[in-house]
Amino acid sequence: MSVRQRWGVAALLLALVLIVATFPMRLALAWSGATDAGVTAREVRGSVWAGELVEARLGALPLGTVRASLSPLALLEGDTELVFSRTDPRLGALAGRLHGSNPRGVSEVNGTTTMSGGLGMIPVDTIRFEGATLRFDGAGKCTSASGRIQLAVSAPIAGLDLSRGLAGPLGCANGRVQAALASQSGMERLTLSFDGSGAYRARLAINVDRDPAMAAALATLGFKAGSGGFVLATTGRF
């Protein structure tokens, strides 16, 4: 290869790098299928290297305004990998990776976000991720799940203070993500499972320890006597 040809190849590579580096994040998200994975935002700014998603959401989970970058190599291979992070003193830190291709989902998520609408009749306010990974195949079945989550309930339930949260590990069971969560005392337990479409089933069990007043208070809230105490079951979609 002559010197002139080498300079031509170098110039072409530089041009490709500049095109990729300045490619608008808004167009890249639309073409990459990130919206199909549940990512929405009121406004998208910047390039694929240094973008910003204003008032972003992942399904029903509000992410706030996050910095984001797409992996150009993944895009060239037909995959989507969006790295996002938030440093907000009011909302707290949040960071992770979104995968829009099969298996889709999120990985290495750490931080806290609010839960719009909670879990139906179970008034969950926030969810905290600790190294959480959730991946689904094309049919919406769980292929891998790891890490931990913590759900916090700020409103007392029949006088119980669950603001410190119920926490536990993530795993796959029967094609769904499943989390078996417990409070610090172990008297309150929440089992949560969901698939790739966001359809969830939740079961909150509270051990009343033969407290008739507590049992009566829970019954008025819709809890039913069952194994492990009084149980409130609900279904819905994130």
Side-chain angles (χ1 to χ4, degrees):
M1 182 181 293
S2 67
V3 174
R4 186 173 183 178
Q5 288 175 322
R6 290 174 183 171
W7 275 108
V9 171
L12 178 60
L13 290 175
L14 178 60
L16 289 174
V17 169
L18 290 174
I19 290 172
V20 172
T22 59
F23 195 78
M25 174 67 81
R26 177 177 56 83
L27 294 178
L29 286 178
W31 291 349
S32 66
T35 52
D36 295 334
V39 177
T40 59
R42 182 176 62 81
E43 184 180 357
V44 180
R45 304 168 179 163
S47 68
V48 294
W49 285 114
E52 184 179 61
L53 279 59
V54 180
E55 296 181 15
R57 302 180 71 89
L58 178 58
L61 295 179
L63 304 179
T65 297
V66 299
R67 295 192 300 270
S69 62
L70 278 166
S71 168
L73 291 178
L75 287 174
L76 291 174
E77 295 173 355
D79 297 331
T80 303
E81 183 178 312
L82 177 74
V83 180
F84 63 89
S85 64
R86 181 189 73 202
T87 53
D88 188 315
R90 181 175 60 88
L91 299 176
L94 181 68
R97 296 174 181 270
L98 171 78
H99 306 274
S101 51
N102 192 18
R104 58 188 175 85
V106 294
S107 64
E108 302 174 24
V109 181
N110 290 281
T112 303
T113 186
T114 58
M115 289 193 68
S116 178
L119 292 174
M121 294 182 291
I122 304 174
V124 174
D125 299 294
T126 63
I127 178 170
R128 178 175 179 79
F129 300 95
E130 299 175 6
T133 291
L134 310 168
R135 304 293 293 271
F136 303 91
D137 64 16
K141 293 184 177 181
C142 179
T143 60
S144 64
S146 60
R148 294 174 62 85
I149 60 171
Q150 181 182 48
L151 302 181
V153 180
S154 62
I157 298 178
L160 294 172
D161 182 6
L162 300 178
S163 60
R164 292 187 177 182
L166 299 94
L170 293 164
C172 288
N174 301 318
R176 300 169 67 89
V177 173
Q178 182 164 297
L181 314 177
S183 64
Q184 290 185 332
S185 68
M187 300 289 283
E188 299 84 25
R189 296 184 178 275
L190 174 64
T191 302
L192 172 66
S193 69
F194 56 93
D195 60 20
S197 71
Y200 69 80
R201 296 194 292 262
R203 181 181 184 274
L204 176 62
I206 298 177
N207 188 341
V208 299
D209 198 22
R210 298 181 181 180
D211 184 337
M214 176 66 70
L218 291 174
T220 62
L221 295 175
F223 283 77
K224 306 292 184 183
S227 60
F230 273 68
V231 176
L232 180 63
T234 184
T235 61
R237 189 178 298 274
F238 293 124

